[in-house]
């Protein structure tokens, strides 16, 4: 009987969630937002030199196809007809830069990942060209000039990779962030693939004017980027094209959001002042500021939150970005070998229940918000003979929470209205010790939805609500109530403050480690 009941679920929506460390495809019921099935594949990261982080765009694309096929098989086993899937949304790691050949469909170089630091000297050279009294880059884009964003990665590729230069000269090159590469490939690639991106991803390239919502000629000239290689910018919710291969051939791709915007939508933060924090490879706290751009005085970014339809208004957000969150757990696993799986860290931390005065600043890629200090490097300090791997594991979790606290403090100062609680999502939120620590260190409740896949849910919402699909209602009364788990602070405020101020001392010690490009990390 149950099987027969499952077969009549009504319209379903799929979501590709292409993150830094893995790719997933998830399928949701558009009426209840229930997750029906999913499949996940880990993605390799390559570190060809110190500070360089690359991925293979073809491996990323292949992983998307694999996740779609496997999820469809799983739905079949559940007796769910895949023809009920009415649309597909895409959410992606942002800023990661791909240049490919539009005639062969081949990438011209590996994807340069958002965490990559090779562009430090490119950034320094560009800095010298910004007029002292007029930072037009920041005022147009909402972003500080940093290795983090796509324009400087693209500039590096144009300067250093002959295949890219040649393809641009011969009018064969296309540039995109991961969403563009996927949508172009999934909608046919060399056979009529759609070269587009959405406003949220475009707003992370540093080439996009967040006020006019267009590629900006002055910015493109400043970075020396030919405008003809850029994708068309569309809203986050409209039909871009149809799937041209695989189990879901003919299905519209109708939602596209950078992962952090997708999580904001998936957490239903549609009101001015609502905020969420996503714990993934990095940590990203976004606060919806409504129809107005709020420029930060405290090191946060101003970015496009979403635009859910061609004729719908644009919403903006303030964002605090932490480069290393889940990545520190992966580092403890892969580089130090003190855990065999990411889940083990909770067990180690639980054993001691304290870092015993050990503090960890995981500034592997410099410090992002609120410092924007590329010279910082990771440090572990406060070590004694008593310190063991359990204390280091605990300190690593604490570091994620302290970094979030710094961003929350900055956001409270910029917005003037302190958050009463923090909505959280992402892979790391399954770690109960981390969630409790976060509540203790922020000294406000931390609220986690029972279904933590809010990034994928946001992409599904955008796809299902698109004009021409219309299976997902965005009316407040129709947005299904999600059950939440609350973590209340359990320590006294004074203890929380002492731990936080000691950690800030450690942050100061992490700065200024890299003074000039060392030869082994230099550019070829």
């Amino acid at each position: 009987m149950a099987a027969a009941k499952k077969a009549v679920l009504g319209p379903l929506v799929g979501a590709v969630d292409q993150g830094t460390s893995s790719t997933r495809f998830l399928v949701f019921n558009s009426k209840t937002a229930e997750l029906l099935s999913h499949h996940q594949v880990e993605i390799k990261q390559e570190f060809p030199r110190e500070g360089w982080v690359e991925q293979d765009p073809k491996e990323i694309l292949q992983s998307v196809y694999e996740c779609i096929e496997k999820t469809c098989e799983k739905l079949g086993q559940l007796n769910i007809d895949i023809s009920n899937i009415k649309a597909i949304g895409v959410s992606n790691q942002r800023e990661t830069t791909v240049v490919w050949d539009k005639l062969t469909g081949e990438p011209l170089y590996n994807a340069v990942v958002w965490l990559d630091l090779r562009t430090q000297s490119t950034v320094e050279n560009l800095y010298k060209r910004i007029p002292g009294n007029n930072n037009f880059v920041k005022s147009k884009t909402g972003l500080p000039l940093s290795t983090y964003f796509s324009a400087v990665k693209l500039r590096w590729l144009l300067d250093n990779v002959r295949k890219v230069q040649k393809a641009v000269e011969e009018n064969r090159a296309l540039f995109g962030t991961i969403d563009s590469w996927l949508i172009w490939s999934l909608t046919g690639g060399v056979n009529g693939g759609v070269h587009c991106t959405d406003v949220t991803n475009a707003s992370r390239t540093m080439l996009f004017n967040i006020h006019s919502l267009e590629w900006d000629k002055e910015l493109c000239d400043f970075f020396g980027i030919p405008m003809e290689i850029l994708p068309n910018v569309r809203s986050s919710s409209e039909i871009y094209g149809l799937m041209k291969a695989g189990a879901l051939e003919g299905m519209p791709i109708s939602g596209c959001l950078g992962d952090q915007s997708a999580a904001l939508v998936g957490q239903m933060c549609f009101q001015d002042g609502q905020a969420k924090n996503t714990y993934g490879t990095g940590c990203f706290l976004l606060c919806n500021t409504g129809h107005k751009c709020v420029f930060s005085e405290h090191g946060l970014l101003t970015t496009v939150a979403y635009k859910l339809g061609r004729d719908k208004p644009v919403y903006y957000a303030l964002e605090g970005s932490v480069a290393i969150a889940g990545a520190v757990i992966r580092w403890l696993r892969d580089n130090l070998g003190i855990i065999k799986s990411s889940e083990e860290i909770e067990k180690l931390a639980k054993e001691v229940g304290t870092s015993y005065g050990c503090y960890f600043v995981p500034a592997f890629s410099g410090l992002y918000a609120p410092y924007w200090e590329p010279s910082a490097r990771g440090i572990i300090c406060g070590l004694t003979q008593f310190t063991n791997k359990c204390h280091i594991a605990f300190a690593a979790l604490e570091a994620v929470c302290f970094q979030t606290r710094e961003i929350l403090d900055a956001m409270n100062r910029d917005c003037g209205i302190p958050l009463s609680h923090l909505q959280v999502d992402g892979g790391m939120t399954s770690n109960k010790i981390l969630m409790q620590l976060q509540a203790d260190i922020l000294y406000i409740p931390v609220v986690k939805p029972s279904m933590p896949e809010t990034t994928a849910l946001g992409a599904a919402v955008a796809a299902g609500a698109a004009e021409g699909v219309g299976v997902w209602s965005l009316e407040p009364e129709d947005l299904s109530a999600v059950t939440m788990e609350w973590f209340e602070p359990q320590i006294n405020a004074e203890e929380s403050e002492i731990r936080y101020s000691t950690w800030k001392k450690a942050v100061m010690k992490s700065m200024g480690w890299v003074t000039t490009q060392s030869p082994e990390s230099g550019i070829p």
Side-chain angles (χ1 to χ4, degrees), residues 187-202:
T187 56
V190 293
N191 300 310
V194 178
H195 188 217
C196 69
T197 187
D198 89 301
V199 288
T200 67
N201 281 296

Side-chain angles (χ1 to χ4, degrees), residues 263-336:
L264 196 72
V265 170
Q267 285 266 30
M268 309 300 165
C269 294
F270 294 128
Q271 302 296 314
D272 196 337
Q274 281 184 298
K276 66 87 207 168
N277 196 29
T278 299
Y279 298 76
T281 300
C283 229
F284 300 90
L285 181 59
L286 267 72
C287 181
N288 187 333
T289 61
H291 302 308
K292 59 184 186 297
C293 284
V294 174
F295 281 88
S296 172
E297 303 289 312
H298 302 99
L300 304 180
L301 312 176
T302 306
T303 201
V304 174
Y306 52 81
K307 183 182 190 305
L308 294 176
R310 224 175 297 195
D311 308 320
K312 296 286 192 300
V314 65
Y315 280 77
Y316 294 97
L318 268 178
E319 171 175 338
S321 328
V322 169
I324 302 290
V328 75
I329 315 301
R330 199 167 169 166
W331 180 82
L332 291 174
R333 182 192 75 185
D334 297 349
N335 294 33
L336 293 198

Side-chain angles (χ1 to χ4, degrees), residues 92-144:
N92 57 286
Q93 51 168 315
R94 303 171 305 169
E95 299 96 18
T96 296
T97 298
V98 189
V99 181
W100 67 95
D101 186 320
K102 67 181 174 192
L103 302 182
T104 65
E106 290 294 308
L108 295 163
Y109 192 80
N110 269 345
V112 180
V113 178
W114 57 276
L115 280 165
D116 187 281
L117 288 176
R118 77 187 66 186
T119 51
Q120 191 46 48
S121 58
T122 311
V123 169
E124 284 159 14
N125 293 335
L126 287 164
Y127 243 124
K128 294 174 190 148
R129 295 179 31 218
I130 293 184
N133 57 352
N134 171 23
N135 189 343
F136 68 95
V137 177
K138 180 107 190 263
S139 58
K140 286 183 174 202
T141 65
L143 311 172

Side-chain angles (χ1 to χ4, degrees), residues 33 38-39 70 81 91 117 132 145 226 335 386 409 471 509 513:
H38 76 287
H39 188 75
K70 290 280 199 302
D81 187 349
S91 129
L117 288 176
L145 197 51
N335 294 33
F386 183 72
D409 285 357
V471 298
K509 292 191 178 355
W513 280 99

Side-chain angles (χ1 to χ4, degrees), residues 116-399:
D116 187 281
L117 288 176
R118 77 187 66 186
T119 51
Q120 191 46 48
S121 58
T122 311
V123 169
E124 284 159 14
N125 293 335
L126 287 164
Y127 243 124
K128 294 174 190 148
R129 295 179 31 218
I130 293 184
N133 57 352
N134 171 23
N135 189 343
F136 68 95
V137 177
K138 180 107 190 263
S139 58
K140 286 183 174 202
T141 65
L143 311 172
L145 197 51
S146 158
T147 58
Y148 181 19
F149 306 107
S150 315
V152 289
K153 300 179 194 302
L154 183 49
R155 183 66 258 155
W156 186 90
L157 289 168
L158 289 166
D159 288 339
N160 294 279
V161 182
R162 183 65 196 125
K163 274 170 82 173
V164 172
Q165 296 162 352
K166 200 163 167 346
V168 168
E169 286 158 16
E170 294 171 7
N171 198 21
R172 289 182 288 112
L174 295 179
F175 152 79
T177 40
I178 295 294
D179 56 305
S180 299
W181 163 243
L182 292 179
I183 292 172
W184 183 82
S185 303
L186 295 172
T187 56
V190 293
N191 300 310
V194 178
H195 188 217
C196 69
T197 187
D198 89 301
V199 288
T200 67
N201 281 296
S203 78
R204 312 298 294 187
T205 58
M206 250 183 166
L207 301 169
F208 185 71
N209 186 317
I210 61 173
H211 312 285
S212 68
L213 303 184
E214 290 170 334
W215 297 124
D216 189 288
K217 185 161 179 348
E218 187 184 12
L219 290 169
C220 290
D221 290 348
F222 175 71
F223 288 104
I225 305 296
M227 291 181 85
E228 56 276 11
I229 71 173
L230 303 178
N232 288 319
V233 183
R234 315 271 286 267
S235 77
S236 315
S237 174
E238 59 179 89
I239 295 175
Y240 312 111
L242 305 181
M243 289 284 286
K244 284 294 191 295
L248 298 176
E249 192 176 342
M251 196 59 57
I253 299 176
S254 54
C256 178
L257 290 154
D259 52 9
Q260 303 313 322
S261 286
L264 196 72
V265 170
Q267 285 266 30
M268 309 300 165
C269 294
F270 294 128
Q271 302 296 314
D272 196 337
Q274 281 184 298
K276 66 87 207 168
N277 196 29
T278 299
Y279 298 76
T281 300
C283 229
F284 300 90
L285 181 59
L286 267 72
C287 181
N288 187 333
T289 61
H291 302 308
K292 59 184 186 297
C293 284
V294 174
F295 281 88
S296 172
E297 303 289 312
H298 302 99
L300 304 180
L301 312 176
T302 306
T303 201
V304 174
Y306 52 81
K307 183 182 190 305
L308 294 176
R310 224 175 297 195
D311 308 320
K312 296 286 192 300
V314 65
Y315 280 77
Y316 294 97
L318 268 178
E319 171 175 338
S321 328
V322 169
I324 302 290
V328 75
I329 315 301
R330 199 167 169 166
W331 180 82
L332 291 174
R333 182 192 75 185
D334 297 349
N335 294 33
L336 293 198
I338 70 171
I339 50 175
K340 287 195 178 61
S341 72
S342 302
E343 292 67 46
E344 244 178 272
I345 191 150
E346 188 168 6
K347 211 162 73 226
L348 288 186
K350 198 172 185 171
E351 251 174 69
V352 285
T354 168
S355 68
Y356 202 77
C358 166
Y359 288 85
F360 192 156
V361 182
F364 301 155
S365 295
L367 288 166
Y368 284 15
Y371 300 102
W372 298 105
E373 185 46 77
S375 72
R377 285 296 175 271
I379 60 168
I380 302 175
C381 53
L383 302 175
T384 66
Q385 280 177 311
F386 183 72
T387 311
N388 63 28
K389 66 180 182 180
C390 298
H391 299 115
I392 290 174
F394 195 95
L397 293 181
E398 250 185 344

Side-chain angles (χ1 to χ4, degrees), residues 452-495:
E453 303 295 351
T454 49
T455 301
L457 179 60
V461 167
E467 193 182 333
V469 178
V471 298
W472 208 302
S473 165
L474 291 180
E475 296 305 319
E477 62 274 13
D478 295 331
L479 294 171
S480 34
V482 183
T483 49
M484 298 287 192
E485 189 176 353
W486 286 69
F487 293 86
E488 299 281 348
Q490 287 178 358
I491 61 173
N492 68 42
E494 193 183 353
E495 188 189 338

